Amino acid sequence: MVIEEADFKMESVGDNTHFWDLSLLRTVKSKDGERQEFKNAGYGLTMLSCLKRIADFRVECKHPDAMSLKDYIKDYKQEVSRLEELTKDI
């Protein structure tokens, strides 16, 4: 099974397992310029671990330079809340 959104892709490790391989959409620089492609961010992760990494990735994309710990925690919590909204009706 594959779960895909605009900025991430999760692929099931195998049939009847609860582990996922996570890929995140990254900007890749080449001699022809820049392009977007999915890069591996982890193998054999639980769903919760994937969601935490996705939230962290989104904060990183929002603030590519340095930020305060307070700002990071605030933005991280917002991203986790957005991801939790997707699972409310489960």
Side-chain angles (χ1 to χ4, degrees):
M1 173 189 315
V2 176
I3 299 172
E4 188 170 345
E5 293 285 335
D7 59 346
F8 71 88
K9 182 172 28 172
M10 294 170 51
E11 297 181 57
S12 178
V13 171
D15 295 338
N16 300 321
T17 67
H18 298 285
F19 297 101
W20 303 85
D21 292 340
L22 175 65
S23 298
L24 300 171
L25 191 64
R26 299 280 188 177
T27 301
V28 177
K29 295 178 183 178
S30 67
K31 62 181 179 179
D32 298 327
E34 293 183 349
R35 67 180 187 281
Q36 300 283 318
E37 69 180 49
F38 285 104
K39 292 287 197 175
N40 188 304
Y43 294 107
L45 303 172
T46 63
M47 176 75 74
L48 183 58
S49 293
C50 287
L51 296 178
K52 287 178 179 179
R53 288 189 187 202
I54 293 164
D56 185 61
F57 172 71
R58 289 179 175 177
V59 172
E60 177 187 333
C61 289
K62 188 175 177 181
H63 301 280
D65 298 323
M67 72 179 102
S68 70
L69 180 60
K70 181 179 179 179
D71 288 340
Y72 172 80
I73 291 171
K74 181 184 79 152
D75 288 348
Y76 180 82
K77 285 181 178 181
Q78 287 175 347
E79 291 301 330
V80 168
S81 293
R82 287 185 186 131
L83 291 167
E84 285 175 347
E85 285 292 318
L86 300 173
T87 63
K88 267 194 171 176
D89 296 330
I90 294 177

